[in-house]
């Protein structure tokens, strides 16, 4: 049985300054805990297969260089006269940690032909840490394994959660080589590893692309191996956004441009990127856009302070850094429905925005508020859900802008468009803009015949997350929003399903450029819990409050506000929920 030596890498400060003793101790403790967690997972994996050998001596290996924060894991190659079972198990282990040595040890378990054709990063299959791989021999002599699935990562680095009941399976056929040693002759592309190993060896890397007006940057989350991370991220930008997002974003990259080299100049933390001749046509303003896009992406990895672009070694002229936020944060205070009326809560004071006479006896529910600071407005449904009402807070006026049988709760985007529409069967969304005096219908043919529960538009306006129900389950999906240069929505992209491990969603909000906060459940019949979901990342359970019914976010990048069934409002601070208001029916930050 193969054995491992775990090597914890010390983090290096990019500026070269020494860190404090306290910080160093804290870091070391975290690394030890992470290493122990991985050891535990490996122990489970090693003991998972009934009847497989459990003996084996400790093997010392060369220290492998990884990206900062990683853990190097190196496996022993096949032993002389190993059984077919030992070859299969040894390969599974060596492939799971193969990034450390570019899968050279894992290929030793394969025939020459299989080793030459196997593509390990085409499909990265991830299983939960509390599960183990079970393998067995078929009647044909092949070996088959199966394990519950958590997620997959494709060759572009895009992460997709798996459904709760899905599994990962694979089969190996073996043969003896010329030396009489068993080797794997047939296998699927890809690797299978636990979540702990995956998070140690891969880096969550948001790539950024521009909205059509170059005003905002939009996050497209990827996962790349730690080795060669800068080059992989730059290549990801030049290969373009994920398929579901590509109609809503762009890059100022001339067609046909190739990345010739990516080097980190350690002395001043400058990433030098040399491009093919097509990039020479870029203007100074376009170079600035591209440098900003690349720098925003690479600073997320760490150790980067500047990007320098060149063509065949000649540095391109740039106008400098472009101010393009990735998550526009509004300064607007929290707005609530209290006694049925829109009310602002700010610095312990309550300010009523509309009077009871204007709201009338039809009441309000599902209120949304705008980002517009010079003329703040909102939208809400009546209590019956049959009328969408415009709330003019500046002039104390309310009027209907849409009617229907059962309308979708409204959301307001950063360009001032109010989103709603029939919740059942229409296969479209309707959006309204007072300034433009226009209603636009956006087709959603994939949603015809289902019930749309909620729509939430992201802060920069390029994406919308839609929760809907078909005859069998609740589904959460994200779609790209295609806009013209003035921000007018013109079309919606194809939906990409996210949150597949959720059985139900009660409410949700955009928490950052790539993270949602969700009230929902992973098991039907259970109580709602609080979760963070990264678009292109994992679902994480977090501590909430009892009897949660409503959630909003947006005061800051990590702010979350919860409402309970008794009308109490809570906001989290340093991991502790603090109640700061009561008697409320709904909560809303802009959006």
């Amino acid at each position: 049985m193969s054995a491992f030596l775990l090597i914890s890498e010390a983090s290096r400060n990019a500026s070269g300054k020494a860190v404090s003793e306290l910080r160093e101790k804290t870091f070391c403790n975290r690394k030890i805990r992470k290493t122990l967690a991985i050891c535990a997972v490996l122990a489970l994996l090693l003991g998972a297969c009934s009847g497989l050998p459990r003996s084996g001596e400790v093997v010392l290996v060369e220290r492998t260089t990884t990206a900062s924060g990683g853990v190097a894991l190196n496996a022993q190659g096949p032993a002389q006269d190993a059984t077919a079972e030992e070859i299969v198990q040894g390969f599974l282990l060596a492939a799971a940690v193969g990034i450390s040595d570019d899968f050279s040890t894992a290929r030793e378990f394969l025939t020459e032909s299989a080793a030459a054709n196997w593509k390990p990063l085409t499909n990265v299959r991830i299983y939960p840490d509390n599960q183990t791989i079970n393998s067995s021999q078929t009647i044909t002599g092949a070996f088959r394994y199966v394990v519950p699935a958590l997620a997959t990562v494709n060759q572009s680095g895009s992460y997709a959660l798996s459904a709760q009941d899905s599994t990962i399976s694979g089969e190996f056929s073996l043969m003896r080589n010329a030396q009489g040693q068993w080797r794997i002759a047939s296998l699927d592309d890809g690797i299978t590893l636990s979540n702990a190993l995956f998070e140690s060896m891969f880096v969550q890397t948001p790539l950024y692309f521009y909205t059509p007006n170059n005003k905002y940057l939009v996050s497209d989350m990827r996962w790349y191996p730690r080795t060669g991370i800068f080059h992989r991220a730059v290549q990801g930008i030049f290969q373009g956004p994920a398929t579901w997002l590509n109609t809503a974003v762009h890059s100022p990259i001339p067609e046909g441009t190739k990345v010739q080299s990516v080097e980190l100049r350690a002395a001043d933390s400058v990433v030098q990127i040399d491009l093919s001749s097509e990039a020479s046509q870029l203007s100074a303003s376009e170079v600035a856009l591209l440098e900003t896009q690349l720098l925003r992406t690479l600073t997320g990895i760490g150790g980067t302070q500047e990007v320098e672009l060149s063509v065949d070694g000649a540095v391109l002229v740039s106008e400098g850094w472009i101010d393009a936020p990735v998550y526009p944060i509004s300064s607007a205070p929290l707005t609530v429905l209290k006694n049925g009326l829109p009310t602002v809560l700010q610095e312990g004071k309550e300010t009523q925005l509309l009077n009871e006479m204007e709201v009338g006896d039809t009441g309000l529910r599902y209120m949304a508020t705008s980002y517009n600071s010079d003329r703040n407005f909102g939208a809400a449904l009546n209590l019956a859900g049959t009328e969408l009402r415009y709330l003019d807070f500046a002039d104390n006026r309310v009027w209907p802008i849409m009617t229907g049988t059962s309308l979708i709760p409204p959301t307001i985007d950063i360009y001032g468009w109010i989103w709603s529409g029939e919740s059942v069967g229409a296969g479209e969304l309707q959006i309204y803009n007072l300034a433009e005096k226009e209603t636009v219908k956006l087709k959603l043919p994939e949603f015809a015949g289902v019930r749309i529960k909620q729509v939430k538009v992201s802060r920069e306006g390029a994406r919308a997350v839609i929760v809907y129900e078909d005859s069998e389950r609740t589904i959460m999906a994200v779609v790209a929003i295609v806009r013209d240069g003035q921000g007018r929505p013109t079309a919606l992209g194809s939906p990409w399903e996210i949150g597949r491990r959720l059985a139900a969603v009660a409410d949700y909000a955009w928490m950052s450029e790539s993270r949602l906060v969700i009230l929902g459940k992973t098991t039907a019949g259970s109580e709602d819990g609080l979760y963070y979901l990264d678009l292109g990342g994992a679902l994480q359970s977090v501590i909430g409050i009892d009897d949660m019914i409503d959630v909003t976010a947006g005061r800051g990048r990590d702010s979350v506000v919860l409402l309970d069934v008794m009308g109490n409002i809570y906001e989290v601070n340093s991991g502790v929920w603090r109640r700061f208001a009561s008697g409320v029916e709904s909560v809303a930050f802009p959006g």
Side-chain angles (χ1 to χ4, degrees), residues 289-311:
L289 284 169
L290 183 54
E291 284 181 344
T292 300
Q293 178 185 7
L294 288 164
L295 183 59
R296 178 70 74 175
T297 296
L298 297 180
T299 50
I301 300 170
T304 308
Q305 295 183 359
E306 188 178 340
V307 167
E308 182 180 273
L309 299 178
S310 62
V311 173

Side-chain angles (χ1 to χ4, degrees), residues 378-392:
L381 300 183
N382 64 353
L383 292 179
T386 57
E387 182 179 271
L388 177 64
R389 313 186 78 190
Y390 188 95
L391 313 178
D392 187 340

